[in-house]
Each structure stands twice: as structure tokens, then as C-alpha cells.
Amino acid sequence: MSNKKISGMEDPIPKDLFDILACPLCRADLEYTKDKKALLCSGCGVKYPIEDNIPILLSPKDRKRFK
């Protein structure tokens, strides 16, 4: 399966997985940032990084705790 290309860049997350992802805080849809290095919640605006093609869906508070 190939990843969908937008603006000449491959999506880091397979479409079938991306389609079921939601913000863990408010359950709204997620969108890629322009550089496709993070996901942005369309509801609450929280930004979730993508590291090694894996979305890190921890709240900003929890991310600080695990670093």
C-alpha cells in the first residue's frame, strides 16, 4: 500500500490508520501540518508530533513527563 501524496510529500502515516485517528483530548479529527512532521487537532488545536512515522498522541502535559 502506498501513502497518499499531498504537495509532493508522502504521508508518514498509512491512510487506513490516519482515517481512524482522533485527538485523545477532544476526539476531533486530526490534520497534517504543512511539513507533515506533526498532526494538528481541528477542534482544540493541540499539535502532536510524528516521530519515525509514529504519531505521539500524548497530551502536552504527559509528553513533558515522559521526556
Side-chain angles (χ1 to χ4, degrees):
M1 170 189 284
S2 83
N3 292 342
K4 182 178 169 189
K5 289 185 179 182
I6 298 175
S7 303
M9 297 173 72
E10 267 193 31
D11 291 348
I13 302 168
K15 183 171 176 16
D16 56 340
L17 173 59
F18 179 80
D19 288 345
I20 62 171
L21 291 178
C23 176
L25 299 176
C26 73
R27 306 287 186 234
D29 290 335
L30 298 171
E31 307 167 349
Y32 284 109
T33 56
K34 288 185 182 188
D35 63 5
K36 295 197 176 187
K37 292 184 179 179
L39 296 172
L40 185 63
C41 176
S42 62
C44 64
V46 173
K47 193 174 179 181
Y48 299 98
I50 300 172
E51 298 176 7
D52 296 324
N53 295 344
I54 300 170
I56 309 301
L57 299 178
L58 294 172
S59 71
K61 179 182 173 184
D62 290 335
R63 270 185 259 149
K64 288 179 184 175
R65 191 169 17 161
F66 287 106
K67 282 193 172 190

